[in-house]
Each structure stands twice: as C-alpha cells, then as structure tokens.
Coordinates of all heavy atoms in Angstrom, one line a residue:
P25 N 70.0 104.3 129.3 CA 68.9 105.0 130.0 C 69.0 106.5 129.9 O 68.0 107.2 130.3 CB 69.0 104.5 131.4 CG 70.3 104.0 131.6 CD 70.8 103.5 130.2
K26 N 70.1 107.1 129.6 CA 70.3 108.6 129.6 C 70.0 109.2 128.2 O 70.1 110.4 128.0 CB 71.7 108.9 130.0 CG 72.1 108.5 131.4 CD 71.6 109.5 132.4 CE 72.0 109.1 133.8 NZ 70.8 108.4 134.5
K27 N 69.7 108.4 127.2 CA 69.4 108.9 125.9 C 67.9 109.3 125.8 O 67.0 108.5 125.6 CB 69.7 107.8 124.8 CG 71.1 107.8 124.4 CD 71.2 107.6 122.9 CE 72.6 107.8 122.4 NZ 72.9 109.2 122.1
S28 N 67.7 110.6 125.9 CA 66.3 111.1 126.0 C 65.5 110.8 124.7 O 64.3 110.6 124.8 CB 66.3 112.6 126.3 OG 67.0 113.3 125.3
D29 N 66.2 110.8 123.5 CA 65.5 110.6 122.3 C 64.7 109.2 122.3 O 63.6 109.1 121.8 CB 66.4 110.4 121.1 CG 67.2 111.7 120.8 OD1 67.0 112.7 121.6 OD2 68.0 111.8 119.8
L30 N 65.3 108.3 122.9 CA 64.7 106.9 123.0 C 63.3 107.0 123.7 O 62.4 106.3 123.2 CB 65.5 106.0 123.8 CG 66.8 105.5 123.1 CD1 67.7 104.7 124.0 CD2 66.4 104.7 121.8
Y31 N 63.2 107.8 124.7 CA 61.9 107.9 125.4 C 60.8 108.5 124.5 O 59.7 108.0 124.5 CB 62.0 108.8 126.7 CG 62.9 108.2 127.7 CD1 64.3 108.4 127.7 CD2 62.4 107.4 128.8 CE1 65.1 107.8 128.7 CE2 63.2 106.8 129.8 CZ 64.6 107.1 129.7 OH 65.4 106.5 130.7
Y32 N 61.2 109.5 123.8 CA 60.2 110.1 122.9 C 59.9 109.2 121.7 O 58.7 109.1 121.3 CB 60.8 111.4 122.3 CG 60.9 112.5 123.4 CD1 62.2 112.8 124.0 CD2 59.8 113.2 123.9 CE1 62.3 113.7 125.0 CE2 59.9 114.1 124.9 CZ 61.2 114.4 125.5 OH 61.3 115.3 126.5
D33 N 60.9 108.4 121.2 CA 60.6 107.5 120.2 C 59.6 106.4 120.6 O 58.7 106.0 119.9 CB 61.9 106.8 119.7 CG 62.8 107.7 118.9 OD1 62.4 108.7 118.4 OD2 64.0 107.4 118.9
L34 N 59.8 105.9 121.9 CA 58.9 104.9 122.4 C 57.5 105.5 122.6 O 56.6 104.8 122.4 CB 59.5 104.4 123.8 CG 60.2 103.1 123.7 CD1 60.8 102.8 125.1 CD2 59.3 102.0 123.3
V35 N 57.4 106.7 123.1 CA 56.1 107.3 123.3 C 55.4 107.3 121.9 O 54.2 106.9 121.8 CB 56.2 108.8 123.9 CG1 54.8 109.5 123.8 CG2 56.7 108.7 125.3
D36 N 56.1 107.7 120.9 CA 55.5 107.7 119.5 C 55.0 106.3 119.1 O 53.9 106.2 118.6 CB 56.5 108.2 118.5 CG 56.7 109.7 118.5 OD1 55.9 110.4 119.1 OD2 57.7 110.2 118.0
I37 N 55.8 105.3 119.4 CA 55.5 104.0 119.0 C 54.3 103.5 119.8 O 53.3 102.9 119.2 CB 56.7 103.0 119.3 CG1 57.8 103.3 118.3 CG2 56.3 101.6 119.2 CD1 59.2 102.7 118.7
Y38 N 54.2 103.8 121.1 CA 53.1 103.4 121.9 C 51.8 104.1 121.4 O 50.8 103.5 121.4 CB 53.4 103.7 123.4 CG 54.4 102.9 124.0 CD1 55.2 103.4 125.0 CD2 54.7 101.6 123.7 CE1 56.2 102.7 125.7 CE2 55.7 100.8 124.3 CZ 56.4 101.4 125.3 OH 57.4 100.6 125.9
L39 N 51.9 105.4 121.1 CA 50.7 106.1 120.7 C 50.2 105.5 119.4 O 49.0 105.4 119.2 CB 51.1 107.6 120.5 CG 51.3 108.3 121.8 CD1 51.7 109.8 121.6 CD2 50.1 108.2 122.8
K40 N 51.1 105.2 118.4 CA 50.6 104.6 117.2 C 49.9 103.3 117.4 O 49.0 102.9 116.6 CB 51.8 104.3 116.2 CG 52.4 105.6 115.6 CD 53.5 105.3 114.6 CE 54.1 106.6 114.1 NZ 55.6 106.5 114.1
Q41 N 50.2 102.6 118.5 CA 49.6 101.3 118.8 C 48.5 101.5 119.8 O 47.9 100.5 120.3 CB 50.6 100.3 119.3 CG 51.7 100.0 118.3 CD 52.7 99.1 118.8 OE1 52.4 98.1 119.4 NE2 54.0 99.4 118.7
N42 N 48.1 102.7 120.1 CA 47.0 103.0 121.1 C 47.4 102.4 122.5 O 46.4 102.1 123.2 CB 45.7 102.5 120.6 CG 45.3 103.2 119.3 OD1 45.6 104.4 119.1 ND2 44.6 102.5 118.5
Q43 N 48.6 102.3 122.8 CA 49.1 101.8 124.1 C 49.3 103.0 125.0 O 50.4 103.3 125.4 CB 50.3 100.9 124.0 CG 50.2 99.7 123.2 CD 51.4 98.8 123.2 OE1 52.1 98.7 124.2 NE2 51.7 98.2 122.1
Y44 N 48.1 103.6 125.4 CA 48.2 104.9 126.1 C 48.8 104.7 127.5 O 49.6 105.6 128.0 CB 46.8 105.5 126.3 CG 46.2 105.8 124.9 CD1 45.0 105.2 124.5 CD2 46.9 106.6 124.0 CE1 44.5 105.5 123.2 CE2 46.4 106.9 122.8 CZ 45.2 106.3 122.4 OH 44.7 106.6 121.1
D45 N 48.6 103.6 128.2 CA 49.2 103.5 129.6 C 50.7 103.4 129.5 O 51.4 104.0 130.3 CB 48.6 102.2 130.3 CG 47.1 102.4 130.6 OD1 46.6 103.6 130.6 OD2 46.4 101.4 130.7
K46 N 51.2 102.6 128.5 CA 52.7 102.6 128.3 C 53.2 103.9 128.0 O 54.3 104.3 128.5 CB 53.0 101.6 127.2 CG 53.0 100.1 127.7 CD 53.5 99.2 126.5 CE 53.7 97.8 127.0 NZ 54.3 96.9 125.9
A47 N 52.5 104.7 127.1 CA 52.9 106.0 126.7 C 53.0 106.9 128.0 O 54.0 107.7 128.2 CB 52.0 106.6 125.7
L48 N 52.0 106.9 128.8 CA 51.9 107.7 130.0 C 53.1 107.3 131.0 O 53.7 108.2 131.5 CB 50.6 107.6 130.7 CG 49.4 108.2 130.0 CD1 48.1 107.8 130.6 CD2 49.5 109.8 130.0
A49 N 53.3 106.0 131.1 CA 54.4 105.6 132.0 C 55.7 106.1 131.5 O 56.6 106.6 132.3 CB 54.4 104.1 132.1
T50 N 55.9 106.1 130.2 CA 57.2 106.6 129.6 C 57.3 108.1 129.8 O 58.4 108.6 130.1 CB 57.2 106.2 128.1 OG1 57.0 104.8 128.0 CG2 58.6 106.6 127.5
L51 N 56.2 108.8 129.7 CA 56.2 110.3 129.9 C 56.6 110.6 131.4 O 57.3 111.5 131.7 CB 54.8 110.9 129.6 CG 54.5 110.9 128.1 CD1 53.0 111.3 127.9 CD2 55.4 111.8 127.3
D52 N 56.0 109.7 132.3 CA 56.4 109.9 133.7 C 57.9 109.7 133.9 O 58.5 110.5 134.7 CB 55.7 108.8 134.6 CG 54.2 109.1 134.7 OD1 53.8 110.3 134.4 OD2 53.4 108.2 135.1
N53 N 58.5 108.7 133.2 CA 59.9 108.5 133.3 C 60.7 109.7 132.8 O 61.7 110.1 133.4 CB 60.4 107.3 132.4 CG 60.0 106.0 133.1 OD1 59.8 105.9 134.3 ND2 59.8 105.0 132.3
I54 N 60.2 110.3 131.7 CA 60.9 111.5 131.2 C 60.9 112.6 132.2 O 61.9 113.3 132.5 CB 60.2 112.0 129.9 CG1 60.4 111.0 128.7 CG2 60.7 113.4 129.4 CD1 59.5 111.3 127.5
D55 N 59.7 112.9 132.9 CA 59.6 113.9 133.9 C 60.6 113.6 135.0 O 61.3 114.5 135.5 CB 58.2 113.9 134.5 CG 57.2 114.7 133.6 OD1 57.7 115.4 132.7 OD2 56.0 114.6 133.8
T56 N 60.6 112.3 135.5 CA 61.5 111.9 136.6 C 63.0 112.1 136.3 O 63.7 112.7 137.0 CB 61.2 110.4 137.0 OG1 59.8 110.3 137.2 CG2 62.0 110.0 138.2
I57 N 63.4 111.6 135.1 CA 64.8 111.6 134.7 C 65.3 113.0 134.2 O 66.4 113.4 134.6 CB 65.1 110.5 133.7 CG1 64.7 109.1 134.2 CG2 66.5 110.5 133.2 CD1 64.6 108.0 133.2
F58 N 64.5 113.6 133.4 CA 65.0 114.8 132.7 C 64.3 116.1 133.2 O 64.6 117.2 132.7 CB 64.8 114.7 131.2 CG 65.5 113.5 130.6 CD1 64.7 112.3 130.3 CD2 66.8 113.4 130.5 CE1 65.3 111.2 129.8 CE2 67.5 112.3 129.9 CZ 66.7 111.2 129.6
G59 N 63.3 116.0 134.1 CA 62.6 117.2 134.6 C 61.4 117.4 133.8 O 61.2 116.9 132.7
K60 N 60.5 118.3 134.3 CA 59.2 118.6 133.7 C 59.5 119.3 132.4 O 60.5 120.0 132.2 CB 58.4 119.5 134.6 CG 58.0 118.8 135.9 CD 56.6 118.2 135.8 CE 56.2 117.6 137.2 NZ 55.8 116.2 137.1
D61 N 58.6 119.1 131.4 CA 58.8 119.6 130.1 C 57.4 119.9 129.5 O 56.5 119.1 129.6 CB 59.5 118.5 129.3 CG 59.7 118.7 127.9 OD1 58.7 118.8 127.1 OD2 60.9 118.8 127.4
E62 N 57.3 121.0 128.8 CA 56.0 121.4 128.2 C 55.5 120.5 127.2 O 54.3 120.1 127.1 CB 56.2 122.8 127.6 CG 54.8 123.5 127.3 CD 54.9 124.9 126.8 OE1 55.8 125.6 127.3 OE2 54.2 125.3 126.0
A63 N 56.4 119.9 126.3 CA 56.0 119.0 125.3 C 55.4 117.7 125.9 O 54.4 117.2 125.4 CB 57.2 118.6 124.4
V64 N 56.0 117.3 127.0 CA 55.5 116.1 127.7 C 54.1 116.4 128.3 O 53.2 115.6 128.2 CB 56.5 115.7 128.9 CG1 55.9 114.6 129.7 CG2 57.8 115.2 128.3
A65 N 54.0 117.5 128.9 CA 52.7 117.9 129.5 C 51.6 118.0 128.4 O 50.5 117.5 128.6 CB 52.8 119.3 130.2
T66 N 51.9 118.5 127.2 CA 51.0 118.6 126.1 C 50.6 117.2 125.6 O 49.4 116.9 125.4 CB 51.6 119.4 124.9 OG1 52.1 120.7 125.4 CG2 50.7 119.6 123.8
T67 N 51.6 116.3 125.5 CA 51.3 115.0 125.0 C 50.5 114.2 126.0 O 49.5 113.6 125.6 CB 52.7 114.2 124.8 OG1 53.5 114.9 123.9 CG2 52.4 112.8 124.2

C-alpha cells in the first residue's frame, strides 16, 4: 500500500477503461495517503 506508483498505474488503467468512479476513488486515496498533489488535481 505504500508504493505510490501503483496508484498512478491503476488510475491510468481505470481511465483507459472509462471507469471514472474507480479512478476518482484511487485519486482520493493518493490525496489521503501521500498528500495533495497538483498532478492529481489536474487528473
């Protein structure tokens, strides 16, 4: 759970499959675990 790359990889996978809710939930996890981030906000 501490490997930040995995979260970003999953967001990419979800976006390719148009699974926007899963992508958003994963972005929320990134914010919670690693703090707010401009790339996350943009995505």
Side-chain angles (χ1 to χ4, degrees):
K26 297 276 179 263
K27 277 222 167 270
S28 59
D29 296 5
L30 288 172
Y31 293 87
Y32 294 101
D33 291 340
L34 258 176
V35 169
D36 285 343
I37 290 164
Y38 292 147
L39 290 178
K40 282 182 189 138
Q41 299 178 47
N42 301 325
Q43 296 186 35
Y44 298 121
D45 293 338
K46 279 186 174 182
L48 289 168
T50 306
L51 291 172
D52 290 342
N53 288 338
I54 294 172
D55 280 347
T56 305
I57 299 168
F58 304 103
K60 299 263 186 232
D61 173 298
E62 194 175 322
V64 171
T66 305
T67 306

